[in-house]
Amino acid sequence: RVQGPALNLIVKREREILAFKPVPFWIVNLFSDKFNAQHEKGDIWNKKEAEDILNNTKNKKGFIKNISKREFLQEAPYPFDLTSLQIEAYRTLRINPKETLSLAQDLYVNGFISYPRTSSQKLPPALNFKKIISKLKENKSYLNLCEDLLKKELKPNEGKKSDPAHPAIHPTGEYNGELTGKSLRIYDLIVRRFLSTFGEPAKKQTNTLQIDVNNELFSVSGTITLEKGWHKYYGNYVSSKEIELPKYSEGDEIKIKDIKVEDKETQPPKRYTQASIIKELDKKVLGTKATRASIVDTLYQRNYVKDNSIQATELGIKLIDTLEKYCSQIIDEKLTRHFEKEMELIREGKKNENEVLEKAKKTLVDVFKKFKDNEVNIGKALLESQRNTEEEMKTIGQCPKCLKGNLKILYSPKTKSKFVGCSSYPDCKNIYSLPRNGLIKKIDEKCKECGFFQVLVIRAGKRPWKLCLTPNCKSKEA
């Protein structure tokens, strides 16, 4: 009930991208010896207008017409709920949402953090903030930060979202010093987010220079941090960039190196990432905090989508096309969201579960009947795209030996094992061995050691790993 609407969102975005027609526009940039500025008209939709600006400023001097400063406060972040942890881990550490949940679950089982499957952005005082921070102080990485916080009133900056069963994700203060790799990075992110929620607002200042070149106005802005506040607790995870402009006074002449017209085009909407699709599902109340990552992963496993910048495959697009035609309720996000809310009302004791189940039963019987009545048509519609997508997903790239065939992930019934071989067999007998156990998936990323093709090996209970096809590659020496 969530895979359909989730895939539908991705396919809708893919359709928007495919149907997108770029529109040209122009911007006029001023390049000085110390900064670059843009004409204040911004995007210019008439080329002649841009060229007129260029002609009007040719060989003219530039002067600082106005200097403005704006100070503002940047509030401390909210504590993590599961969705915001997954999004932030992807942004800062490039760890995908499903793996983030798995790593956080391990940290919870070992007693290092609180229960991660929460939708709360609140930290109740009953947690005893002082006790947790005093324990965290025993870790040298956080010693100075914790000592600094313990001198202040400990009041976290909380968000609106709450969860009656669990508080926001936070460290317990317990730590054995044995964490490494991604587990350590996720733990550090959670600890620093927790500490930063108690920090003072950061004080920032945006400075803007307005440059006059023969009555054509250009401007450039830069933002700096005046007081770090919570930034010092969040460390390298802070996303803002510091841009400090040179010191000028009004009337100062600037040294212009060049003024250019730059051709631009409007861009299609961006594809979803694994983090942004989970954020979208959360916003639309589709799925639960604990299931969204696995739902997205299932779309990958079933070859409905591919790549980190999520692209619907031919099969995924055809599936949505077909269901829209024959059984649109399966991909209707309104229906899915309705039942999500109904289940929530049952949990809150505001709805009778039998009443909700009876309604759901009638809806599902109707859906199944439509599906059954059109089963043959649906199967025929999907068969060709299924075969094409399977072929695409197992084709790795051009064979380096014969330069004619393609390397493909193949299966040998005789040895009951998978291998990579050339499609030009028997003319080309180039092959590469693969592990006997596990799911093998093609990836577009080349080996960092030798630059050759890699595959992704997925085994139950273990983290996926990248395998270079070069037999004696240095990447296999570890």
Side-chain angles (χ1 to χ4, degrees):
R1 63 189 174 85
V2 183
Q3 284 177 46
L7 180 59
N8 194 27
L9 287 172
I10 294 167
V11 170
K12 279 182 178 178
R13 179 63 57 86
E14 198 65 33
R15 287 172 179 163
E16 289 174 10
I17 293 169
L18 292 172
F20 182 81
K21 293 181 179 179
V23 178
F25 66 95
W26 296 264
I27 60 173
V28 184
N29 289 323
L30 179 154
F31 300 90
S32 81
D33 56 337
K34 294 180 179 178
F35 59 82
N36 300 335
Q38 185 175 318
H39 196 278
E40 288 196 340
K41 285 189 176 179
D43 299 344
I44 300 170
W45 302 96
N46 184 300
K47 187 175 183 180
K48 184 179 182 305
E49 186 178 354
E51 290 174 341
D52 287 345
I53 293 171
L54 188 64
N55 292 330
N56 198 32
T57 57
K58 192 173 184 179
N59 299 321
K60 303 295 183 182
K61 292 182 178 181
F63 299 90
I64 300 294
K65 182 177 182 180
N66 183 52
I67 300 173
S68 62
K69 296 180 180 181
R70 181 179 68 90
E71 288 188 6
F72 61 96
L73 295 178
Q74 186 183 31
E75 294 292 331
Y78 301 144
F80 281 135
D81 62 348
L82 177 58
T83 300
S84 58
L85 171 62
Q86 290 172 317
I87 292 169
E88 192 73 345
Y90 188 84
R91 180 187 73 82
T92 60
L93 304 172
R94 281 294 178 261
I95 298 176
N96 72 53
K98 184 184 179 185
E99 189 173 6
T100 293
L101 175 56
S102 176
L103 292 165
Q105 182 69 21
D106 288 345
L107 293 172
Y108 165 69
V109 169
N110 285 291
F112 300 144
I113 67 167
S114 62
Y115 188 67
R117 290 176 169 86
T118 177
S119 57
S120 177
Q121 295 175 323
K122 297 186 181 297
L123 294 169
L127 293 175
N128 196 337
F129 307 138
K130 186 175 181 180
K131 183 179 178 182
I132 293 173
I133 294 172
S134 295
K135 283 186 177 181
L136 289 172
K137 192 174 72 168
E138 296 171 11
N139 186 329
K140 290 181 180 179
S141 299
Y142 313 121
L143 173 61
N144 293 334
L145 301 177
C146 291
E147 285 183 341
D148 186 59
L149 278 180
L150 289 170
K151 298 173 187 175
K152 305 175 181 179
E153 180 187 0
L154 296 174
K155 187 177 180 181
N157 187 36
E158 298 178 312
K160 294 180 180 179
K161 293 167 67 175
S162 62
D163 186 327
H166 305 284
I169 302 170
H170 62 276
T172 61
E174 303 295 335
Y175 180 60
N176 61 10
E178 295 178 1
L179 292 176
T180 59
K182 291 181 180 179
S183 294
L184 178 59
R185 294 199 285 275
I186 290 291
Y187 178 74
D188 182 64
L189 177 61
I190 291 169
V191 170
R192 289 184 177 275
R193 181 64 163 239
F194 172 74
L195 296 177
S196 67
T197 63
F198 298 99
E200 298 291 329
K203 193 179 202 180
K204 309 199 78 174
Q205 179 177 282
T206 297
N207 300 322
T208 301
L209 301 178
Q210 188 182 57
I211 303 103
D212 186 334
V213 185
N214 196 28
N215 295 320
E216 298 289 354
L217 300 179
F218 295 79
S219 64
V220 59
S221 295
T223 300
I224 58 172
T225 301
L226 301 177
E227 295 176 13
K228 284 190 172 183
W230 62 270
H231 286 195
K232 63 184 174 184
Y233 305 108
Y234 210 35
N236 293 332
Y237 303 116
V238 176
S239 62
S240 60
K241 293 180 180 179
E242 300 288 298
I243 301 175
E244 186 167 7
L245 297 178
K247 304 292 183 185
Y248 285 105
S249 298
E250 289 184 10
D252 285 353
E253 183 180 350
I254 64 164
K255 185 178 179 181
I256 298 175
K257 293 169 65 177
D258 201 0
I259 296 179
K260 291 181 179 179
V261 173
E262 187 175 349
D263 296 349
K264 293 276 192 177
E265 282 186 338
T266 53
Q267 297 298 306
K270 290 183 178 180
R271 290 191 171 98
Y272 290 108
T273 64
Q274 291 187 47
S276 65
I277 188 63
I278 283 177
K279 186 176 182 180
E280 188 71 11
L281 293 174
D282 180 49
K283 186 172 80 173
K284 291 179 176 291
V285 198
L286 296 171
T288 69
K289 54 188 175 289
T291 61
R292 291 178 185 121
S294 62
I295 287 163
V296 174
D297 186 64
T298 299
L299 298 181
Y300 277 101
Q301 298 300 328
R302 295 182 175 176
N303 292 332
Y304 298 146
V305 301
K306 63 180 182 178
D307 300 339
N308 288 327
S309 179
I310 303 177
Q311 181 179 353
T313 61
E314 180 184 339
L315 176 60
I317 294 172
K318 190 65 176 179
L319 178 60
I320 295 300
D321 289 345
T322 306
L323 291 177
E324 281 177 337
K325 183 177 180 180
Y326 294 109
C327 195
S328 62
Q329 284 171 294
I330 288 179
I331 57 174
D332 184 2
E333 67 179 64
K334 291 180 182 177
L335 178 65
T336 300
R337 184 162 51 247
H338 167 74
F339 283 119
E340 290 282 2
K341 289 181 177 178
E342 293 280 284
M343 294 295 286
E344 189 62 40
L345 291 172
I346 291 173
R347 280 193 287 270
E348 294 173 0
K350 296 177 181 178
K351 276 263 185 177
N352 181 281
E353 61 183 77
N354 291 325
E355 180 188 343
V356 173
L357 287 171
E358 279 303 313
K359 286 182 180 178
K361 190 188 296 183
K362 289 178 182 178
T363 301
L364 288 173
V365 167
D366 181 50
V367 169
F368 292 150
K369 185 178 185 307
K370 285 182 181 178
F371 195 90
K372 188 69 179 174
D373 290 347
N374 293 286
E375 193 172 16
V376 174
N377 291 330
I378 292 171
K380 285 180 179 177
L382 295 179
L383 182 60
E384 184 180 356
S385 58
Q386 166 73 9
R387 287 172 175 166
N388 291 342
T389 298
E390 282 184 353
E391 187 70 15
E392 179 192 348
M393 298 308 287
K394 70 182 183 182
T395 301
I396 292 174
Q398 186 183 50
C399 175
K401 190 173 182 179
C402 69
L403 301 178
K404 294 180 181 178
N406 286 317
L407 294 181
K408 293 186 175 183
I409 300 171
L410 303 171
Y411 177 76
S412 168
K414 185 176 180 180
T415 61
K416 295 182 179 179
S417 62
K418 289 183 178 179
F419 65 96
V420 171
C422 181
S423 60
S424 291
Y425 180 86
D427 295 332
C428 178
K429 298 181 180 179
N430 189 22
I431 63 168
Y432 303 88
S433 61
L434 293 173
R436 293 186 68 87
N437 300 318
L439 177 67
I440 308 296
K441 298 202 77 172
K442 120 178 184 179
I443 53 175
D444 293 329
E445 184 182 341
K446 298 286 183 70
C447 176
K448 292 179 181 177
E449 290 290 341
C450 68
F452 198 53
F453 298 113
Q454 295 183 120
V455 293
L456 190 67
V457 182
I458 303 171
R459 288 176 172 169
K462 294 185 178 180
R463 305 225 189 283
W465 54 285
K466 296 169 187 172
L467 172 70
C468 178
L469 296 182
T470 302
N472 299 313
C473 179
K474 289 183 180 179
S475 65
K476 299 177 181 179
E477 293 176 2

